Each structure stands twice: as C-alpha cells, then as structure tokens.
Amino acid sequence: MPKSKIFHSLLAVAFLSSFGSSMLYGYNLAVVNSPAVYIKDFYNKTVVSRNGTGLSGETLTLMYSLTVSVFAIGGLLGSLIVGMLVTRFGRKGTVINTSVLVFIAGSLMGFSRICGSPEMVIFGRFITGIHSGISLSVVPMYLGEIAPKNLRGFLGLVPSIFIGTGVFAAQILGLHELLGKEEHWPLFLSVVVLPTFIQLMLLPWFPESPRYLLIEKHNVHATITALKQYRAKCNIQAEIEEMQEEQHSLSSVETLSVWKLLLDDTVRWQVLSVVVINIGMQLSGIDAIWFYTNDIFKNAGIPAPEIQYTTAGTGVIEIIAGLIGCFTIEKLGRRPLMIGGFAMMGICSGGITLALLLQTHLPFMRYISVCCVVGIIAGFCIGPAGVPFLITAELFKQSHRPAAYIIGGSLNWLSNFTVGFVFPFLQMSAGAYCYLVFATICVFVAIYVYIVIPETKNKTFMEISRMFSKKEAVLETQGLIHGDQLKLKKMNGYGGMEHASLEFDSSSS
C-alpha cells in the first residue's frame, strides 16, 4: 500500500474519532458560556411557576455553577469506567458503542424547555460529561496504538486540535446572529448529536487497534489485516515482533487494576508523572478561562456588545496554536511543548492579575488582560491540551495503560470540577489575585516536567519502559541525596538521567 494512502487512512481515523468525540468535549466546555443569562432566567421562571417565588441570587449562581460543573462529575465517572470498556469492547469499539450517550444527552437538553425541566439540562450535561470522560482517554489511547512511532506525536495531538475546534464552534454558534438568541439555547446545547452521527456512520469501516488485537485478543490474523491498512508492508513484521516482545515482557496480559498499578514500584515515576501533568492541566486555570470568558472580559472593561466577538476571536487562536503543536511535536518533542506551554500560561496568569489591578489607573491595561487570556489559551493548546494524554499512552505497557488512563482521567476531571465550581466564588473573594494560584501551579508543573519526564519522541513503548527502569535504578542508587545535580539529557535519542560519575548498569534494569 502506498505510504500516502496509509497516511490518509491514519489521518481519517484520527479525524473521525476526534470529530465525534474530542470536539464535543471542547464544545461542551464553552457552550454554557454564551447562553448563561437565558439558562438562569429559565431556571428562575421554572421555579416561580412551581413554587410561586423565584430564586435568590446566590441560589441561582449555585444552580448555574452546578450546571457547569456537573459536566466534570460525569467526566469523572466516564474516566473511571474507561478501563473496563476498552478491555471488553476494544478501543474503536468503545468509541462507537458509547456514542449512544450523546444522543440521550442531546435529546434531554433539546427538549428541556418544552418540558419545563431544569433537571433535564443538568442531567443532559452529566451524560455528555460521561461521554467526554470516556472519549478523552480512549481516543488518544486508540490513536497512540495505531500510529507508527514516527507519527505518534502528530496523531496524538489531533484530538487537542478538535477540542479547540469544539470550543470555537460553540463560540461562533453562540453569537447573537446564529444560536445566541434566547429561543435557540436548547438547540444550541443539543447540536452535539450531528458530529457523533457522522462518526457513527464512517468509523466502523476502519480496523481496531492492532496492539489490542494481538496482545489482548491473541488474534494474529486480525492484527495483520489491521496493520496492512495502517503500515507499509515492510514494517508489518517488525511491528508484530515489537508487540510480541512487549507481550512476552508482561507478567500477565490481563489488564491491571488501578490498585495494582498504584502498588507497582516499577512504574511509580510514570504514575506520579501522570498525576502531576493531569492535575496541572486543569488547575492551570484554562477551564476558568473557558467557562467564564465573558465574565473575565466584562471585568476587564470590554464593552458588552463586543464581548461575544472577542470571545469568538480567541477560538481562532486555539485552533492555530493546536495546529502549531501538532505539526512541531515530531520535530521539537513532547517536553518542550509541555514546558513552554505551562511556562507561558504561568506568565500570562500573573499578567492578568497585574492588568486587573492596574486597569483602574491605566485604562490600556484592559487590553493587556485580554492579551494574557489569549496567551493562556495559546500556551495551553500548543502543548498541555494534548500532550498529557499522549504521554499517558507512551509511558505504560499494554497491561498498565487502561489503569493509567483511569488515574489520569479521574484526577483530570476532579480538578476540572473543582475549578468550574469554585472559580466564581474564588473570583468574588480573592478578586484579581485568584490568577496567582493558577500561575504558581503552571510554573511548578513546568519545572517538574523539566526535571523528571524524559523525551519519548520516536521511541517504542518497550524502549520508553526500559528508560524509566534505568531512571528508577539511578534514583534508588543516589537516594535523591544529590537531586540538584541530576539533569535530564539527550541519550541515544531519549531523555535519561545524567550524573557526573554515574553509569547505568543494565542488570539493575
């Protein structure tokens, strides 16, 4: 099969799996931003019709915060069951089978006003959260397993581009000229069914993950058939041999539970890395920016009629930044994108604080705060938006990978919920200083990635596993006494631990 046709096949799978899944995550992050006033008014009118009295301002804020953050509760549940689903149905099978959740959620939210039920909106948001929680783990896992090692970074960041596209789609459709009118908000919430329908029609025609078929299902014939569509003929034998090497290295081909993964000392640095980057990804403040963009711009002094267009303009930045990350990751590597992205977000978060404090005395600072918002979004989409999911796939063997995604995904969504629920109250109490919390977290994660996480570009899963085994041996030998003298370096094309007088003993790994 010609290489161009193989690339197009891989790109089609990346497009379809992200279009009907990852894009919905981005869309649902931003979709509640524009119609917030109309949704609150619907809640209040419904309570008045039921009880004869309206809701207090605090109760209405609490109810709307629940509508925003219940999406993350659903996401947490989805991330907890993804391991069971991918083991039973496979990677592609899970993407397809869970699409029914989107149709259920779209129906609930679409008919909520006709039925006079705020509960349908909240429950619909909860179900879309479950779907997104599953999708955020299974799509990068699927793409990471079907991609050859030289394209794994590129394909692994395609979902992050679609997350940005989903946010942008919500911002554009939320304009007053389109679905931003009061009568259209139920339709605005429920159009998520359209991309999922397209995905459901086309994705089943593509093969399942070859690694899943061979390592977990022991189906060599199906593996070869899948690889013929995803690889050049000359690479198939080498690919199968690499998979079999991984299969033989596993003490058991059974998928590990989360508890067993946490107790496995051989992967403790991988687990810790997944914990740090997934928590940091959400506590970086990006969800506060996405959930409450209009409020942030309002506080920055942007005239009310211009806010929706300013917000939509940030969506263009998200897509451009995502494309930059996608097309540079195989050249620059994973670490520079994460370190640079988190550092940029930290600097811009500090900049927002400074701008908001000074804008009463210096009117031009309101534009600085807008630039900082754009900088946070750009920094996030370049690296932290997608690389953590890709890294989670790369740091673990087949038997460990689902449990690793459960850990990373659950922490991701718990942090997402915390920010979505707490941010409006934090903003009221701490004012501009709340962004300093995000700045501190971003800088910490950037430093952690620089010190601990090695480069995984162009490495097989087995090579990555061996490199972490060597890292473990180094840290045990040194006892972390001379931690300040340990530096990451390039070694055989891969990040290793360097010490002036240290040599790796292959027997220790």
Side-chain angles (χ1 to χ4, degrees):
M1 187 181 291
K3 287 187 177 181
S4 61
K5 190 173 181 181
I6 293 168
F7 178 74
H8 292 154
S9 180
L10 289 167
L11 198 60
V13 173
F15 178 89
L16 287 171
S17 58
S18 302
F19 179 67
S21 300
S22 304
M23 191 170 78
L24 304 192
Y25 168 68
Y27 186 87
N28 282 298
L29 280 177
V31 72
V32 290
N33 189 35
S34 174
V37 175
Y38 306 138
I39 294 174
K40 289 178 182 177
D41 187 53
F42 166 65
Y43 287 177
N44 197 46
K45 286 180 179 178
T46 304
V47 172
V48 169
S49 67
R50 290 178 181 179
N51 304 328
T53 57
L55 296 168
S56 66
E58 288 184 359
T59 305
L60 194 58
T61 299
L62 183 65
M63 198 169 176
Y64 181 71
S65 292
L66 179 62
T67 304
V68 172
S69 54
V70 75
F71 176 68
I73 299 175
L76 173 61
L77 178 58
S79 67
L80 290 174
I81 63 175
V82 72
M84 174 189 68
L85 294 174
V86 297
T87 301
R88 180 173 180 181
F89 299 113
R91 281 55 168 158
K92 186 194 75 172
T94 299
V95 173
I96 293 170
N97 289 330
T98 56
S99 61
V100 66
L101 296 172
V102 179
F103 296 102
I104 295 171
S107 300
L108 286 169
M109 295 185 291
F111 292 107
S112 59
R113 187 173 58 186
I114 295 175
C115 298
S117 174
E119 295 84 1
M120 289 175 67
V121 178
I122 295 171
F123 192 55
R125 288 275 297 168
F126 174 70
I127 294 177
T128 58
I130 295 175
H131 178 262
S132 290
I134 296 168
S135 300
L136 277 187
S137 293
V138 72
V139 172
M141 191 188 306
Y142 180 35
L143 297 180
E145 291 183 9
I146 68 171
K149 62 183 181 181
N150 62 313
L151 288 177
R152 201 165 58 227
F154 173 80
L155 291 182
L157 286 196
V158 169
S160 69
I161 295 176
F162 276 89
I163 291 172
T165 303
V167 172
F168 181 60
Q171 292 166 340
I172 293 298
L173 291 177
L175 294 175
H176 189 71
E177 292 82 355
L178 296 175
L179 298 181
K181 297 183 178 68
E182 183 174 6
E183 61 268 25
H184 294 324
W185 69 260
L187 176 62
F188 185 34
L189 296 181
S190 61
V191 295
V192 291
V193 300
L194 295 178
T196 302
F197 178 76
I198 295 172
Q199 180 194 71
L200 195 57
M201 292 296 100
L202 299 176
L203 188 60
W205 296 98
F206 291 89
E208 179 58 84
S209 159
R211 305 188 76 85
Y212 171 78
L213 292 171
L214 181 66
I215 297 176
E216 296 187 40
K217 291 300 181 181
H218 312 288
N219 191 333
V220 179
H221 177 73
T223 302
I224 294 173
T225 303
L227 283 173
K228 284 180 179 178
Q229 189 156 347
Y230 293 140
R231 300 287 187 276
K233 288 184 178 179
C234 59
N235 293 337
I236 291 177
Q237 184 61 38
E239 191 90 7
I240 289 178
E241 288 175 359
E242 188 267 319
M243 291 184 208
Q244 289 175 332
E245 181 189 0
E246 179 177 342
Q247 186 179 32
H248 294 153
S249 73
L250 301 175
S251 57
S252 169
V253 295
E254 295 294 324
T255 302
L256 264 68
S257 66
V258 171
W259 183 244
K260 286 184 178 179
L261 181 64
L262 291 173
L263 293 178
D264 189 347
D265 289 340
T266 63
V267 293
R268 59 184 172 185
W269 279 103
Q270 290 98 310
V271 172
L272 181 60
S273 297
V274 166
V275 169
V276 170
I277 59 178
N278 276 280
I279 290 179
M281 179 184 175
Q282 297 299 335
L283 297 188
S284 64
I286 188 62
D287 286 320
I289 299 292
W290 273 336
F291 285 148
Y292 302 101
T293 306
N294 286 4
D295 290 340
I296 292 170
F297 286 160
K298 181 181 177 181
N299 292 336
I302 304 297
E306 298 177 15
I307 287 178
Q308 60 175 343
Y309 302 105
T310 308
T311 301
T314 63
V316 179
I317 304 298
E318 295 162 20
I319 296 174
I320 293 174
L323 288 170
I324 291 172
C326 191
F327 285 101
T328 59
I329 188 169
E330 294 300 355
K331 183 176 182 180
L332 298 178
R334 283 66 161 150
R335 293 178 70 248
L337 293 185
M338 278 204 291
I339 294 168
F342 277 115
M344 185 176 178
M345 293 176 75
I347 293 169
C348 291
S349 293
I352 288 182
T353 299
L354 187 63
L356 292 178
L357 290 174
L358 296 178
Q359 70 181 22
T360 53
H361 305 291
L362 302 171
F364 73 89
M365 293 301 290
R366 69 182 61 176
Y367 302 107
I368 299 296
S369 65
V370 172
C371 291
C372 287
V373 167
V374 171
I376 290 172
I377 292 171
F380 181 75
C381 292
I382 285 174
V387 177
F389 299 110
L390 171 64
I391 286 288
T392 303
E394 292 184 326
L395 296 188
F396 295 91
K397 297 178 184 178
Q398 191 81 6
S399 61
H400 295 60
R401 200 169 294 133
Y405 269 104
I406 291 174
I407 294 171
S410 59
L411 290 172
N412 191 304
W413 284 101
L414 276 172
S415 304
N416 182 302
F417 172 80
T418 302
V419 173
F421 194 78
V422 171
F423 178 72
F425 301 101
L426 180 65
Q427 194 177 35
M428 284 189 288
S429 61
Y433 294 103
C434 67
Y435 296 98
L436 290 180
V437 176
F438 302 137
T440 303
I441 292 170
C442 288
V443 172
F444 168 77
V445 176
I447 293 171
Y448 178 89
V449 173
Y450 178 78
I451 295 173
V452 175
I453 299 181
E455 182 56 67
T456 58
K457 180 179 69 173
N458 284 337
K459 291 296 172 182
T460 67
F461 295 118
M462 285 302 296
E463 288 171 329
I464 295 168
S465 178
R466 282 193 287 265
M467 284 304 303
F468 264 98
S469 295
K470 291 177 180 179
K471 179 194 290 289
E472 188 72 24
V474 171
L475 295 175
E476 286 180 0
T477 301
Q478 295 301 309
L480 293 176
I481 296 173
H482 303 293
D484 58 326
Q485 298 178 30
L486 293 174
K487 296 181 180 179
L488 285 162
K489 74 166 187 176
K490 190 91 169 177
M491 191 178 78
N492 297 326
Y494 191 84
M497 297 298 291
E498 177 186 37
H499 190 274
S501 61
L502 182 65
E503 293 182 1
F504 291 130
D505 180 2
S506 60
S507 64
S508 65
S509 61

